Amino acid sequence: MPSTTPPTVLHVVAHTHWDREWYHPAGRFRQRLVALVDELLDDTARSPFLLDGQAIAVEDYLAVRGERRDELASRLDDGSIEAGPWYVLGDELIAAGEVLVRNLLAGRRVLGELGARAMPVMYSPDAFGHPAALPEIAAGFGLGVIVLWRGYGGARVPAGDTVRWRSASGASALVVHLPPTGYDSGANLPVGADEARIRTRRILDMLVPRARTGALLLLNGADHHARQLHWREAVDAFAAEAAATVDMRVQVGSLASFALDVVSRATQASLPEVRGELRDSYGYAWALQGTFASRASQKRANALVTRALLRDAEPWAALARLQLGVNPGPVLRSAWRTLLTCHPHDTLCGCSVDDVARAMDVRLADAAVQADGVREDAIAALLEAGREQAAGANDLDHPVTDATSPAEHRPSVGRPVLVIRNSLARRRGGVAECTIDSWLADVNVGPGSAPPSGVRDAPDVHLAGGILLQRMGGTVADRRIESPRDYPRNFRIRQERVLAWVPPMDGHALRVIPVLEGTHVGGSEAAEGAPVPVRVVDRAIDNGLLRVTIVDGRVELSAAARESQWAIPTAIAFEDVGDRGDLYTHSRFGRPVTLERCRRATVVHAGPLRATLRTKWMFRIPSRRDDRLVQSHGRSTGGAHDLDVRLSLDAGSPALRVHVRGRNIATDHRLRIRFATGVTHAHVLADAAFGPVEREPLVVPPADRMAETPPRTAPLHRYVTLAGSDGGCTIVSDGLAEVEAADDGAAVLITLVRAVGELSRNDLPERPGHAGWPVPTPGAQCIGEFEASFAIVPHRDRQPPSVAEIDALAAELLSPLAGGTMFVAGTPEVADLGGVTLEGDQLACTTLAPADDDGWIVARCVNLSDAPATGRWRFAVPVHEARLARLDEQPLSPLIIEHNAVAVTVAPRAVLTLLVR
C-alpha cells in the first residue's frame, strides 16, 4: 500500500456524468436533464449533488425551466448542487490553451450570472487525456485540485490516488486520480446487507491500497443517472460495512468538501510528482487516443473557427475597446459560446451519432459568421467608417431610393481602400493575401429593381504608394453594405484576388491603402524591402531559398543555393489502408496502398510573389465489403480517387505550402499524407496548449496492451518538428488533428480522412469491448469533399531555429497578412491605424482580447524558452493603467507604463497575463 497516512475518511459524492450529446442529440438529453434537476430542486433536504463539472447543464435546464431560476441559483449558491468550473466538459488535447481558458471563463460567467461560484476543483472525469499545461491553467483559476481518470494510470506512473502534477513553468496542482472503474465506481450501491457486504469489500479493495492522503473519494452515479433510489439507505449500508472492515469514517458530502480535506492532508503526505502530457492509461483504463482523426474535416473546421476568433476577431475588438471605448464583449462572448458547444469531448472528438455531427456543422458555421461579424464591426469602428459612412455620409440626410434615377445621381458607395490587417502581435511585412473590390453598378431590391443599367466595365486598379501586386484572378459578385439606420446598399463588384508586398507594419495594426483606378506606370517606389522574385523554370519553382521540382512524377524539395547540397527526393506521398475500426479506435486491415508519383504538373501562378504548381494524383483506394470476413489480406476496389495538390513558394519564405483537395468515395479506410523530412534519429517537438512538448515513443508491455493497444498516432495542434543531428524539419497543419512521426524521424504522416461506419464495435483486436453504444454512423464514412493546407519548413542551411522561431513562423504561415476592401467617404491617404506589438525574442502572444471586466483588455504571452525572458508590450495609442493578472483575469500588482509600453519579465515556460486600459 502506497499510503503514508491511514485512510480515515471516505467521501461519498452523489453525481451524474452528463454528456450533453452523444448517442442522442442534445435536445433529447436535455429532456432527461430537466427531469433530473427538477427532482434535485424538489429535494427539501437539499442533499449534496454534483451536476458534473460543467455549467452548460445549468444553461440547458434554465432554457426549459426558467421559472425555477431562483431555486437553482439558491442551491448553487449554498453548494448543495455543484456545477462548473468548465462551461463544457470538453476535449483537452485538441483544444488550444486559450480555448481551455475561454471554456473556464464561460463557465464562471454562467454561474456568476446566478450569483454563484464554481466549485474549486478542476473536474475532468472523462476527457481522453490531458495537456501538459493543465496545472498552469488550473493555477491561473485558483483551482488547486484536478480530478481526472483517463490518460493517467498503470505501471509507468507512481502508484496511488494522489500525486502532484507540475507544468513546465513550475506551476502545480494536486491530482486526484479516479480508480480503474472511473466515475461510476460507486454507482447503484446496494441496500441489502449481503449485497452491500460484497460490493463494499470490492470497492475498498480497489480504493484503500491506492490511498496516499487518507482522504478517499467514491462517486455515486454514472452517465445520465439521476440520484439512485433509496440512496441514503444504500450509503448507510455501505458505511456500516466499511466501518466493520477497516478503520474509517464514511461521509456524504460535496466534491468541494472532499477537495478541502485532500488539500489539508496533502501537506502532511509525501506525494510523488509527475510532469508532461497525460496520454497513457494503458493497462489501467481505456485512453481512447484514436479519436483525433474521427470526422477529421470537422476538427479542421473547428481549428479554422478558433483561429478566426483568437487571431482575427478578438484583437480588433480589443483595439476598438482600448481606442474608442466601445464594448464588443457581449457579441464576442456569444460567438465563443457557440463554438464551445462544439467542444464536449464526445462532440469534438467525433465519437457521437450522426445527428450530433450535423448539429456541430451548423454551430461551427454560425460561430464562423459571428467571428467575421465581430472583426468587420471592430475594423469599421477603428476606421471611423461606421455603417452610416460606408453607406455614403454625404447622402444620409437625403437618400435616393428611386431605382430609375440616373446612376450618377444615386448615392456613392464611397472610395475604395484596401485595409491590410496584421493579426499577429509581431511587427512584420511581406506577402499579403488580399481582395480588391471595384464598383460596377448599384443593384437595388424591391419594386423597380430591374437589371441595373449603365454597368461599367471593370477598371484597372493599383494601390497608392506603388505597392507591388501579383494578380491571382477575379470574379464578378454582389456585395452589400449595411447601416444600422438605413436600408442596405447592394452593388455589383469585380472582386480581384491579389498578392501585395507590404513593408513592415506593427503588430495588430491596420494599413489603409487607397485603391486607384487606371494602369500604374511608376515603379521605383515599390523597392522598399522588395523581395527576390519567385521564378518558374520548366516544372520547377524557386524562391532563392527553396526549390521544388517534379522529377519523374515525384516532388523533390531541395535548397535553391547550389552550395547547400541537400535534397528530399520524395517530399510528398500518400498512404491508404483499410480501417475496420469505430469512432474511438483505428483498426488496420489489408495491405497499405502507397502513391509517390503524381500524374501531371502544371504552373498556375508564375510569380513574382507566389509561384504555384498544380499536381494531379490518382490511385485506387480499396474498401472492404464485410469486415467480419476479411482476413487482413487484400481488399475489394473502392474506385479511382483524384487528388489536387498545389505546391506554392512565396517570395522570401522558407516554407513550401501544400494545399490538398480531394473527394472521398470509399468506405472503411484511412487516407494519410506523408511528408518526408530528410531527418534521421530525430526527436519530436509537438505544438500543444501554451507551448510545445517533446514526445517520445510510448513503450507499453504486452500485459498492458491486452485491453487497449496504444496507437502510433498523437494529437496535432499547429505544427510538429523533427530535429536530429543532421538537421530538422517542421510540418505545419491548418487544423487536422492526428499525426504520426516515423520512428526514425524520416517522415511525418497526417490523417486526411478516416472513414468508419460505427460509433462503437466490441470485436476489435486493438480494443475488445464497446467504448460507446453500438450505433451505425454512416455519416462518419466522410463521403464527399475534403481539403487541408500544410507547410514544409526544412531547417538545414542555418543554425537550428529556437522553439520561439518555429512557433513564430507557424503563426505567420497560418495567419498571413490579409486585406479586404472597404468603401469610405472623403479622400483617404495611406495610413497605419491601431497597433499592439509584443517585443521579445522568446515570447509568443497567445491572446489580445477584451476582458470580461468592461474597460480592460487582456494581453497574454508565453515564454517558450527554458530561461527567464524579457520583453515589452508596445501600444500605438495611449494607455493609462496596466496590471499583472491571473488567467482568470483577477488583477494583481500594477505595472509601470513608459511611453505607452509595458516591460515584462516572464519565468521559463510560464504564461503571463496583463490587464491594460
Side-chain angles (χ1 to χ4, degrees):
M1 182 189 303
S3 176
T4 58
T5 303
T8 57
V9 180
L10 190 153
H11 297 256
V12 178
V13 176
H15 83 110
T16 187
H17 175 57
W18 201 263
D19 297 295
R20 186 174 190 254
E21 49 191 6
W22 180 22
Y23 57 88
H24 290 311
R28 176 63 182 120
F29 274 136
R30 186 172 66 178
Q31 293 172 336
R32 294 178 57 182
L33 176 69
V34 168
L36 183 154
V37 179
D38 275 346
E39 183 179 289
L40 294 178
L41 296 181
D42 291 340
D43 174 20
T44 56
R46 301 173 83 92
S47 303
F49 192 87
L50 172 60
L51 194 59
D52 222 353
Q54 55 189 336
I56 198 169
V58 173
E59 261 190 354
D60 285 344
Y61 174 77
L62 292 178
V64 178
R65 295 283 269 156
E67 71 276 11
R68 304 198 75 170
R69 176 187 177 92
D70 291 345
E71 294 174 81
L72 181 55
S74 173
R75 296 291 299 276
L76 290 166
D77 182 53
D78 69 18
S80 59
I81 293 180
E82 294 180 302
W86 301 103
Y87 181 61
V88 298
L89 282 179
D91 177 82
E92 297 172 12
L93 291 173
I94 298 173
E98 285 292 346
V99 175
L100 298 177
V101 170
R102 299 305 183 283
N103 193 339
L104 289 165
L105 287 172
R108 182 187 68 178
R109 200 177 300 124
V110 169
L111 296 173
E113 290 170 356
L114 294 169
R117 292 184 178 182
M119 60 183 179
V121 183
M122 182 173 276
Y123 184 62
S124 188
D126 202 26
F128 305 159
H130 311 274
L134 201 61
E136 175 107 357
I137 297 171
F141 279 79
L143 305 173
V145 176
I146 302 174
V147 176
L148 54 82
W149 177 35
R150 301 189 196 276
Y152 179 81
R156 288 160 300 285
V157 298
D161 64 351
T162 311
V163 295
R164 189 167 295 281
W165 185 13
R166 196 170 298 277
S167 69
S169 68
S172 70
L174 286 178
V175 169
V176 174
H177 186 218
L178 297 178
T181 50
Y183 52 80
D184 55 357
S185 297
N188 301 313
L189 293 174
V191 174
D194 292 340
E195 295 88 346
R197 182 178 305 109
I198 295 171
R199 181 75 182 281
T200 301
R201 290 180 178 177
R202 188 183 306 150
I203 290 173
L204 294 179
D205 286 346
M206 179 172 55
L207 297 183
V208 172
R210 303 181 67 242
R212 279 196 172 271
T213 65
L216 283 74
L217 174 64
L218 181 66
L219 295 173
N220 169 231
D223 292 0
H224 312 111
H225 280 31
R227 194 195 301 273
Q228 77 166 83
L229 295 174
H230 310 296
W231 74 275
R232 176 61 71 180
E233 293 90 333
V235 172
D236 288 345
F238 174 82
E241 186 61 37
T245 305
V246 294
D247 182 17
M248 70 162 51
R249 176 168 56 90
V250 175
Q251 176 176 310
V252 175
S254 65
L255 194 62
S257 62
F258 164 76
L260 289 174
D261 191 18
V262 77
V263 167
S264 66
R265 293 169 179 270
T267 61
Q268 306 299 320
S270 176
L271 296 179
E273 185 173 287
V274 297
R275 291 174 178 262
E277 295 178 307
L278 303 186
R279 297 177 46 239
D280 173 12
S281 54
Y282 298 98
Y284 185 88
W286 282 339
L288 302 180
Q289 293 289 291
T291 63
F292 300 118
S294 300
R295 306 186 192 269
S297 292
Q298 284 194 322
K299 292 177 172 64
R300 177 174 180 261
N302 169 74
L304 296 177
V305 178
T306 298
R307 199 153 49 244
L309 279 168
L310 285 174
R311 295 284 175 261
D312 217 13
E314 284 188 334
W316 313 117
L319 285 169
R321 170 177 286 185
L322 186 64
Q323 294 182 218
L324 307 174
V326 300
N327 182 19
V331 292
L332 188 56
R333 291 193 287 268
S334 173
W336 272 112
R337 279 197 303 273
T338 303
L339 179 60
L340 289 171
T341 58
C342 301
H343 281 212
H345 58 277
D346 294 305
T347 309
L348 184 57
C349 289
C351 47
S352 290
V353 295
D354 288 347
D355 283 345
V356 171
R358 285 189 286 267
M360 178 178 175
D361 286 336
V362 173
R363 295 197 294 264
L364 286 172
D366 185 16
V369 169
Q370 292 182 62
D372 288 346
V374 170
R375 182 196 70 221
E376 291 171 6
D377 289 350
I379 289 177
L382 289 167
L383 291 175
E384 296 183 343
R387 300 192 184 280
E388 291 88 351
Q389 288 176 302
N394 296 330
D395 301 297
L396 290 177
D397 292 336
H398 305 285
V400 178
T401 58
D402 182 2
T404 63
S405 63
E408 61 271 19
H409 294 155
R410 296 178 194 164
S412 169
V413 296
R415 296 178 181 271
V417 293
L418 180 65
V419 182
I420 296 177
R421 57 190 189 274
N422 179 6
S423 57
L424 300 180
R426 291 288 181 187
R427 180 173 173 81
R428 59 171 172 160
V431 176
E433 300 176 352
C434 307
T435 57
I436 296 179
D437 297 350
S438 302
W439 177 83
L440 302 179
D442 285 343
V443 178
N444 295 294
V445 296
S449 54
S453 59
V455 177
R456 69 170 183 167
D457 294 333
D460 291 332
V461 296
H462 62 277
L463 298 179
I467 300 294
L468 177 62
L469 295 181
Q470 177 181 331
R471 314 282 175 171
M472 306 291 284
T475 58
V476 173
D478 289 323
R479 178 168 171 177
R480 183 177 305 110
I481 290 180
E482 297 181 78
S483 165
R485 294 181 179 86
D486 295 276
Y487 204 71
R489 291 286 316 286
N490 266 27
F491 51 99
R492 185 144 298 163
I493 60 167
R494 181 178 187 271
Q495 188 169 77
E496 184 177 10
R497 294 186 304 114
V498 303
L499 300 178
W501 183 262
V502 180
M505 53 193 295
D506 278 348
H508 293 311
L510 302 172
R511 179 160 293 164
V512 182
I513 307 173
V515 177
L516 307 177
E517 295 186 3
T519 303
H520 177 54
V521 295
S524 60
E525 68 270 35
E528 182 183 353
V532 175
V534 187
R535 298 177 297 142
V536 177
V537 180
D538 195 12
R539 287 193 295 176
I541 53 178
D542 184 330
N543 70 351
L545 299 172
L546 298 176
R547 182 180 179 88
V548 181
T549 311
I550 306 299
V551 181
D552 191 24
R554 298 176 185 266
V555 177
E556 179 179 285
L557 178 62
S558 60
R562 295 180 180 178
E563 61 271 16
S564 296
Q565 299 296 313
W566 68 264
I568 303 174
T570 306
I572 297 171
F574 295 89
E575 174 200 281
D576 188 82
V577 71
D579 192 339
R580 64 187 166 196
D582 57 22
L583 285 169
Y584 295 94
T585 302
H586 168 65
S587 183
R588 170 177 167 166
F589 79 94
R591 297 187 180 93
V593 177
T594 302
L595 185 63
E596 296 182 337
R597 289 181 170 88
C598 63
R599 287 189 299 164
R600 64 176 182 270
T602 56
V603 176
V604 292
H605 301 302
L609 298 179
R610 176 174 295 169
T612 301
L613 290 174
R614 181 182 184 185
T615 62
K616 288 288 189 178
W617 306 63
M618 190 276 287
F619 64 120
R620 291 188 174 273
I621 296 180
S623 66
R624 60 193 166 86
R625 293 174 181 170
D626 185 348
D627 60 58
R628 298 179 187 277
L629 302 178
V630 168
Q631 300 298 317
S632 78
H633 293 290
R635 294 177 285 163
S636 59
T637 299
H641 284 61
D642 289 319
L643 294 171
D644 183 300
V645 182
R646 300 198 176 206
L647 311 171
S648 299
L649 289 178
D650 281 5
S653 174
L656 168 63
R657 294 175 181 267
V658 180
H659 187 80
V660 180
R661 303 183 75 171
R663 180 175 177 81
N664 179 44
I665 62 173
T667 60
D668 305 303
H669 71 108
R670 181 180 70 179
L671 174 64
R672 300 195 290 180
I673 185 170
R674 187 183 74 197
F675 297 103
T677 66
V679 182
T680 57
H681 309 295
H683 68 271
V684 177
L685 187 74
D687 185 36
F690 289 127
V693 295
E694 290 204 21
R695 291 206 178 113
E696 297 181 356
L698 184 61
V699 179
V700 178
D704 287 350
R705 302 165 70 98
M706 297 291 290
E708 186 183 21
T709 302
R712 296 173 60 86
T713 52
L716 172 64
H717 277 219
R718 298 170 300 159
Y719 64 86
V720 60
T721 296
L722 275 63
S725 58
D726 52 350
C729 187
T730 294
I731 307 299
V732 179
S733 168
D734 76 340
L736 292 176
E738 182 178 85
V739 66
E740 178 184 340
D743 288 341
D744 60 0
V748 170
L749 296 99
I750 298 176
T751 306
L752 295 167
V753 174
R754 183 166 173 261
V756 294
E758 295 285 339
L759 174 59
S760 177
R761 303 180 64 109
N762 62 356
D763 57 354
L764 305 180
E766 295 83 0
R767 195 210 70 234
H770 277 303
W773 298 102
V775 180
T777 55
Q781 295 286 6
C782 301
I783 303 299
E785 306 289 338
F786 65 89
E787 65 179 306
S789 291
F790 309 95
I792 309 174
V793 188
H795 314 301
R796 290 298 193 87
D797 299 327
R798 52 193 180 280
Q799 291 295 321
S802 68
V803 172
E805 289 173 323
I806 293 172
D807 189 273
L809 181 58
E812 290 191 16
L813 289 166
L814 293 173
S815 299
L817 294 168
T821 304
M822 297 191 72
F823 292 86
V824 300
T827 305
E829 298 180 352
V830 177
D832 281 6
L833 301 175
V836 177
T837 304
L838 174 63
E839 300 171 344
D841 291 340
Q842 304 303 320
L843 302 180
C845 171
T846 65
T847 196
L848 182 73
D852 270 9
D853 186 358
D854 288 346
W856 295 95
I857 68 167
V858 175
R860 186 157 39 244
C861 63
V862 59
N863 177 4
L864 295 172
S865 74
D866 293 322
T870 59
R872 67 171 186 162
W873 287 94
R874 181 167 52 82
F875 298 86
V877 298
V879 293
H880 308 290
E881 187 177 1
R883 284 182 171 270
L884 285 174
R886 300 196 316 187
L887 279 173
D888 63 1
E889 300 179 6
Q890 177 178 315
L892 301 173
S893 57
L895 295 171
I896 296 173
I897 301 171
E898 292 185 349
H899 306 295
N900 295 318
V902 180
V904 294
T905 300
V906 189
R909 302 295 300 275
V911 177
L912 185 140
T913 303
L914 263 65
L915 291 175
V916 179
R917 61 183 175 188

